[in-house]
Amino acid sequence: MSLHKSLAVDQLSGQPLDPSNAIRAKDGRFYNASTLGKAGEDPLLSLVTGHPVEPAVAGGEDADAAMLVQDLEDLVAPPADARKPHTVHDFVLRHAQELMINEVLPSTEPTRLVFIGNQLDGVSTCIERLLHAHFLPQDTRVPIVINLVPGAVSAPRITQRRRTGAREEIPLALPVYDGRHTPAAARDGVTSDHVPWAALKTALTQRAKLLLETVNADPGATPRFIHTDAEIVVRLSSPAYPHLTLVDVPGRAVHPPSYLAAVEDVMHAYLKQDHVFPVVVARATSTLNNVAAISLLQQHHSHLLPRSSIVFTRVDMDRRADDTLTALLRSDLLEYFGFGFAVLASPRTAPARHDGSDADGDGDDDASAAAARCDHRVYAQAGEEEERIAAELAHIEALEGKVGIGSLLAIVKRKCEDTLLHTWVAHAYHAAHARRQHLHAQLLELSPYFTTTMPASSKDWRARAMEAEPCKRDLPLPETTPELLLRTYVVERAEEILNACKHSMHACVLRRINELATELERAEASIERELAQHEEEERESAANSGGDGDDDGSAGDAQAIVEKMQMARRCHKKIASRVDDIAAKLRAGANADALATIVSRALEADNSDVKMHRFAALIANTRSDLRSLLLERVDAVLADAAVEFADTYTRDARKLFTFTGSKFVAFEHATPSPASAYTSTSVRYDPPTSESLAQKLRFHLVAAMMDVDFDDIHATLFADLNRPLDLTEKDGVEDTRLALLLDMERVDRGLVDINTLHALLQTNKQEEYFANTVLDDISPEFFEGVGESTLQQLRFFFQQDPSFTSITLTLGDEIPAETVINALGVLCVSKHLTELTVHSLDFTRKDDAGDLFAKEALKELLLYSRTLRTLTLVSCQCGGTGWLDAALRHNVSVTTLQTRHEDEPEFLVTKREDFQDTQAVVY
């Protein structure tokens, strides 16, 4: 079933259709081939038929491809006359609604259109033509509420509920259509279901029938209206829908009397709800004085007449349409309908099948598709009939633009705009700007310097948003940085980071030297323990032998000396090997790796505008280059110092070990003399210095480090500013920036919608004002108490003279209420007012009717003005500033309120972050 021009949207994925990759399925809808390709083993179910989606033929090979392309063009292109849309989604705030769906903007209050009329006058038909869908039951005996919700595309959802009290939902005693029929065992307690479009009318008809049966004692009798205050709710969700509620109230009939009374009670109940705009539906042949729905509004809901409209139906069935419409236009009652009237033709009953035949002969999916195309043809015929009638009646000037579905949609559009004006526009405007400021700050946090290409669409929508912006609150997109300039920024920032790392690098080298010296210190301690342990073992052995000498004493001493010499060699090898290991570690980059890591981490943690962490390849290359330099100029120098230390102190074992207990020094005599055999011999680790080898190595390496010039290392690293630098950003950064830019683009699109709507509202206000006021009305007769100079300024504002942007009004108690209203009314429609100063106005004054006229007049000015920057109230009695504060929030330009109480000399300034452009001053 063709609902609206959302054929240009893939109904299963919600994504725009790709004409080059679109497939028309057997349910009559178009889908992207990629969507159908994701089905796998679990087939996708059509929202139209509820059956698995099966492709018919590719769009490029089918004659309906032209229809697809046309639908896409119609969806993108605005109507020729923006005041006269062609379908219900043509006037929607498409981009702003996307922000509402994502909760960036506050949701709008639903506009409730309550359709009332007599039976068979076409109430249900009017609603169906608004939606371009044929799904409402005939001769409805139950109120049906259609909720249009901006959101993800889904199948229609049906709910039954009470109209009063807790509005509880009533369980549905019917199968649940979620694309399949749910077994009866699963129906208990079900209160809502998703129904395929092809089954929607059947489901509604069955539900209405079941509800009627619950209140009819005699099933064979004429059904009475339900008196159990039940209603059926249909929820339709799509990104293309406005936030709109349509109420199909059962038609009024005289018989039976109980039915008439019940219908009128229900009409009263719906007309008493909030945000209601009545739509009276009557046949064109009716006499307005005899239309009961009009009498009901006049007698019980007269306050709704300025928000009401009337639709004349069946004009194509009247052979004397010229005379009939002329008589209607002469009726005084027509003037009561503040939103005007529309004239509609009736859709003709079309054949049940399309000209084509079923593709597979099964008649299931194709029957639904044929019915959908049949509805398309029905409404197309009605549109052609309306064009013919409009041409025939072109001589009646009052009918211009009033014949056809476009006229009814224009009425609906105005009603939606009227609701949005008071509840949403200003809040959405400031919320959108606050969101954009947040996104702009996030974008700058990623760095304002980048070379990636800015999306052209983002630039285009920013320009369009600024063009429609009343306050010119510009938060420009950051410009891409030329690569040469970015290279300069990067090198300069890298040098700053390197200079900041000097202290850490020095400390790291000293810490590493201490670690290496500690390794040698541990080796020395291990040798001393080993020698001490060996000497202790010898003493224990001597004690166990009892000190008895024998003939082999000299030979034993010689053997002991040999063992001592071997032990000394082993200990010397440990020391020399450990020093060689230290030199090897230095040559391998013991410091270079650690120092390069310090610098790379500092680059990755950069929080400046440059944000060095974005350039992963640059950091890796810098780390590699720096490591090479450090290896050459730090670790190589220290390694050479370690080798020099080894040559000086550890190459010769005689400098490290001595023997005690003999008058011969080790390594000078292979065998001790007999004269010295009486004493025991021991080897002692005795470096020829007052300090340990570890401490000596530490001083030696530190002295070598003092010769390292870190400044020269940095200078060498960045010697050539124009050397090739890989400024490719991380994928994550680029993706984040692109996502932010697209989010900002969405907000800009929404701002264009919001500003366009506000401008249109101001234009409507101006047209309404200028239709009832002329320049000659700005005279002393209507502006009593106002001086001639002020009157002249008001005339300039009335004529929209751009050279007049500020005015001062003195409106004391002697000025009549009518003058205050007239003066502020002129300024309310001005396109150039930027500064307004009001003296001595008492906002607590009331007119003869008891209304706070001055307060309401100023609130209206703030509501409609798009250019006001500064509002100054001098010696005015405000009666509290709460109302003024609220009024300022409904303005798209005035932002800061300053108040001063009589007993306080200083101003109390309240600054709001979401309002940043202008100020109101109260003295």
Side-chain angles (χ1 to χ4, degrees):
M1 183 170 297
S2 181
L3 305 178
H4 43 61
K5 294 183 182 178
S6 61
L7 285 171
V9 175
D10 186 323
Q11 294 293 294
L12 293 176
S13 68
Q15 299 299 317
L17 280 177
D18 179 2
S20 63
N21 192 32
I23 293 178
R24 181 174 64 81
K26 292 182 179 180
D27 60 0
R29 291 291 182 88
F30 286 91
Y31 302 95
N32 288 324
S34 58
T35 300
L36 301 184
K38 296 177 182 177
E41 297 181 358
D42 187 13
L44 297 173
L45 302 179
S46 169
L47 302 180
V48 178
T49 65
H51 300 293
V53 176
E54 297 181 8
V57 291
E61 302 173 0
D62 191 79
D64 284 342
M67 183 178 74
L68 170 63
V69 174
Q70 185 62 48
D71 282 329
L72 286 169
E73 292 177 352
D74 291 344
L75 186 63
V76 175
D81 184 349
R83 299 286 297 278
K84 300 174 184 177
H86 302 295
T87 60
V88 74
H89 76 282
D90 283 335
F91 62 83
V92 73
L93 304 175
R94 184 181 313 281
H95 305 299
Q97 282 189 171
E98 181 182 348
L99 300 180
M100 284 187 274
I101 294 171
N102 296 326
E103 298 182 351
V104 174
L105 296 182
S107 179
T108 58
E109 293 290 342
T111 302
R112 298 179 65 86
L113 302 185
V114 178
F115 290 78
I116 56 176
N118 293 336
Q119 278 186 356
L120 305 179
D121 278 358
V123 172
S124 298
T125 301
C126 284
I127 296 176
E128 289 180 334
R129 291 205 61 192
L130 280 173
L131 301 178
H132 209 70
H134 181 53
F135 65 92
L136 290 173
Q138 296 178 350
D139 191 18
T140 309
R141 296 300 180 99
V142 181
I144 298 179
V145 178
I146 300 106
N147 286 334
L148 302 185
V149 181
V153 177
S154 66
R157 178 175 176 265
I158 299 179
T159 302
Q160 293 170 189
R161 69 184 182 195
R162 308 286 182 186
R163 288 190 297 103
T164 58
R167 298 175 67 82
E168 61 182 294
E169 293 187 348
I170 307 170
L172 303 172
L174 289 170
V176 177
Y177 298 93
D178 58 351
R180 305 174 182 85
H181 289 284
T182 302
R187 300 177 199 165
D188 296 339
V190 175
T191 57
S192 65
D193 58 4
H194 283 83
V195 181
W197 275 100
L200 180 55
K201 183 171 183 177
T202 302
L204 291 175
T205 302
Q206 291 176 345
R207 278 156 180 64
K209 181 180 178 181
L210 285 174
L211 287 172
L212 285 170
E213 289 176 355
T214 63
V215 295
N216 279 315
D218 183 3
T222 302
R224 296 185 296 110
F225 183 76
I226 297 176
H227 54 72
T228 56
D229 74 351
E231 66 183 9
I232 300 175
V233 181
V234 182
R235 185 179 185 272
L236 307 179
S237 176
S238 169
Y241 281 143
H243 204 169
L244 184 65
T245 297
L246 310 172
V247 183
D248 184 5
V249 181
R252 186 180 180 278
V254 178
H255 296 290
S258 60
Y259 175 78
L260 173 61
V263 169
E264 290 187 344
D265 287 345
V266 172
M267 287 183 178
H268 287 303
Y270 282 109
L271 292 174
K272 290 178 181 178
Q273 295 179 352
D274 296 331
H275 309 294
V276 166
F277 293 81
V279 180
V280 176
V281 181
R283 298 191 186 193
T285 54
S286 305
T287 303
L288 294 187
N289 290 323
N290 296 332
V291 176
I294 297 178
S295 300
L296 183 141
L297 285 175
Q298 286 181 313
Q299 296 173 13
H300 304 285
H301 307 280
S302 58
H303 65 287
L304 294 178
L305 282 172
R307 308 175 66 184
S308 301
S309 53
I310 186 168
V311 180
F312 298 115
T313 60
R314 298 177 177 264
V315 66
D316 53 319
M317 297 183 179
D318 186 4
R319 296 180 179 179
R320 303 177 60 185
D322 192 319
D323 296 338
T324 300
L325 293 175
T326 301
L328 288 174
L329 294 173
R330 291 175 179 171
S331 174
D332 294 337
L333 286 177
L334 200 59
E335 298 179 359
Y336 287 100
F337 292 91
F339 279 86
F341 67 94
V343 179
L344 298 185
S346 302
R348 298 286 194 274
T349 302
R353 297 289 295 276
H354 189 254
D355 293 340
S357 59
D358 290 354
D360 54 8
D362 59 10
D364 292 333
D365 291 355
D366 293 292
S368 300
R373 290 190 289 270
C374 179
D375 287 336
H376 237 336
R377 296 180 62 200
V378 168
Y379 294 124
Q381 292 171 0
E384 293 172 359
E385 187 68 14
E386 287 166 351
E387 291 179 2
R388 182 189 64 80
I389 295 172
E392 290 182 359
L393 304 177
H395 61 282
I396 305 178
E397 184 178 349
L399 286 177
E400 183 179 357
K402 299 295 186 181
V403 179
I405 186 63
S407 59
L408 177 56
L409 284 161
I411 291 173
V412 176
K413 179 182 179 182
R414 281 197 61 199
K415 292 174 186 282
C416 286
E417 291 167 354
D418 187 80
T419 303
L420 291 174
L421 170 67
H422 296 94
T423 60
W424 184 77
V425 170
H427 295 294
Y429 173 85
H430 295 297
H433 271 289
R435 174 62 176 170
R436 200 179 186 286
Q437 288 175 342
H438 177 69
L439 293 173
H440 194 268
Q442 286 186 299
L443 189 64
L444 294 183
E445 285 178 5
L446 292 176
S447 176
Y449 310 119
F450 59 94
T451 57
T452 52
T453 304
M454 181 76 65
S457 58
S458 296
K459 293 183 178 180
D460 179 58
W461 280 102
R462 175 84 292 239
R464 293 176 62 178
M466 283 304 302
E467 183 179 351
E469 178 64 44
C471 303
K472 305 304 179 189
R473 292 168 58 171
D474 190 14
L475 281 176
L477 295 170
E479 294 292 336
T480 54
T481 308
E483 186 171 355
L484 181 61
L485 183 60
L486 180 59
R487 183 186 294 118
T488 302
Y489 290 154
V490 167
V491 171
E492 290 178 351
R493 180 56 186 160
E495 288 180 332
E496 292 176 0
I497 292 174
L498 277 172
N499 289 331
C501 290
K502 282 183 181 179
H503 178 74
S504 299
M505 295 172 72
H506 276 278
C508 180
V509 174
L510 291 175
R511 185 167 57 252
R512 190 60 178 157
I513 289 175
N514 283 329
E515 292 173 356
L516 295 175
T518 301
E519 291 181 15
L520 184 59
E521 194 172 30
R522 292 195 188 101
E524 291 183 272
S526 174
I527 290 171
E528 291 177 348
R529 286 194 301 272
E530 183 178 350
L531 294 176
Q533 182 179 0
H534 186 76
E535 187 174 350
E536 180 65 24
E537 290 175 352
E538 280 194 336
R539 283 197 296 269
E540 290 179 358
S541 177
N544 292 334
S545 64
D548 297 335
D550 52 35
D551 296 338
D552 297 330
S554 299
D557 289 341
Q559 181 65 29
I561 292 174
V562 170
E563 291 178 358
K564 297 296 189 300
M565 293 176 62
Q566 292 175 346
M567 180 180 294
R569 291 190 185 98
R570 288 198 304 272
C571 292
H572 172 259
K573 186 176 181 180
K574 285 184 179 180
I575 292 293
S577 176
R578 187 57 54 91
V579 175
D580 290 341
D581 288 344
I582 290 173
K585 288 181 179 179
L586 289 171
R587 292 195 186 281
N591 288 291
D593 288 329
L595 298 183
T597 299
I598 289 175
V599 173
S600 62
R601 287 178 178 175
L603 293 173
E604 291 172 351
D606 178 38
N607 198 34
S608 68
D609 286 342
V610 179
K611 298 290 190 300
M612 295 291 293
H613 65 83
R614 298 177 294 155
F615 309 111
L618 173 65
I619 293 176
N621 293 336
T622 301
R623 188 184 192 282
S624 177
D625 294 345
L626 181 60
R627 183 186 183 282
S628 298
L629 285 172
L630 293 171
L631 192 63
E632 176 186 351
R633 303 196 183 185
V634 177
D635 282 331
V637 171
L638 295 181
D640 291 342
V643 171
E644 181 184 354
F645 171 84
D647 292 339
T648 304
Y649 297 102
T650 64
R651 297 300 180 197
D652 190 352
R654 290 174 297 181
K655 294 183 178 180
L656 300 178
F657 297 93
T658 59
F659 285 86
T660 61
S662 173
K663 59 183 179 183
F664 297 102
V665 180
F667 301 102
E668 293 182 357
H669 303 280
T671 304
S673 65
S676 61
Y678 64 91
T679 60
S680 62
T681 303
S682 64
V683 64
R684 184 166 61 90
Y685 175 64
D686 186 25
T689 62
S690 60
E691 299 172 326
S692 67
L693 277 180
Q695 189 68 10
K696 196 70 175 178
L697 175 64
R698 183 179 290 110
F699 289 146
H700 206 78
L701 294 180
V702 170
M705 191 195 75
M706 295 303 174
D707 295 332
V708 176
D709 189 349
F710 282 95
D711 290 336
D712 185 57
I713 294 175
H714 297 170
T716 303
L717 184 64
F718 295 105
D720 185 3
L721 201 62
N722 294 316
R723 69 192 179 94
L725 296 176
D726 190 340
L727 298 181
T728 303
E729 294 181 280
K730 290 182 179 179
D731 292 340
V733 175
E734 291 186 344
D735 293 344
T736 302
R737 178 184 292 111
L738 180 60
L740 288 172
L741 289 171
L742 294 178
D743 282 344
M744 291 174 68
E745 179 183 324
R746 294 186 188 97
V747 174
D748 284 336
R749 289 171 183 256
L751 279 169
V752 171
D753 283 349
I754 296 166
N755 287 323
T756 301
L757 175 61
H758 195 275
L760 182 59
L761 296 172
Q762 186 187 47
T763 300
N764 292 340
K765 180 68 175 178
Q766 291 168 345
E767 290 179 355
E768 178 184 351
Y769 182 82
F770 293 135
N772 301 307
T773 308
V774 295
L775 184 61
D776 292 340
D777 291 336
I778 305 179
S779 63
E781 179 182 357
F782 296 102
F783 289 78
E784 182 180 345
V786 175
E788 182 58 33
S789 61
T790 302
L791 283 178
Q792 188 60 39
Q793 291 184 65
L794 291 174
R795 293 189 187 103
F796 286 129
F797 279 106
F798 182 88
Q799 295 172 315
Q800 306 298 332
D801 189 332
S803 61
F804 282 80
T805 59
S806 62
I807 188 172
T808 299
L809 299 176
T810 301
L811 303 172
D813 293 343
E814 71 281 0
I815 303 297
E818 184 179 359
T819 299
V820 174
I821 295 173
N822 291 340
L824 295 180
V826 172
L827 300 176
C828 181
V829 297
S830 171
K831 296 181 180 179
H832 306 291
L833 176 67
T834 59
E835 297 182 14
L836 172 61
T837 303
V838 180
H839 288 262
S840 308
L841 180 57
D842 184 359
F843 289 100
T844 63
R845 283 178 61 191
K846 297 182 180 180
D847 57 15
D848 295 338
D851 297 327
L852 297 170
F853 63 92
K855 182 184 295 186
E856 295 302 321
L858 184 62
K859 288 166 64 175
E860 186 176 52
L861 186 150
L862 292 173
L863 188 64
Y864 285 99
S865 175
R866 290 171 55 81
T867 57
L868 184 62
R869 296 291 186 275
T870 304
L871 171 65
T872 305
L873 305 179
V874 181
S875 302
C876 294
Q877 297 185 32
C878 297
T881 59
W883 67 271
L884 183 58
D885 185 57
L888 290 171
R889 284 193 168 273
H890 285 88
N891 182 265
V892 297
S893 57
V894 176
T895 59
T896 303
L897 173 64
Q898 299 186 51
T899 60
R900 186 181 67 186
H901 299 288
E902 294 180 356
D903 56 345
E904 295 180 1
E906 300 295 331
F907 288 115
L908 176 63
V909 181
T910 304
K911 183 72 174 178
R912 306 181 188 87
E913 293 301 326
D914 53 341
F915 297 79
Q916 296 189 348
D917 298 301
T918 58
Q919 58 183 347
V921 186
V922 181
Y923 293 99

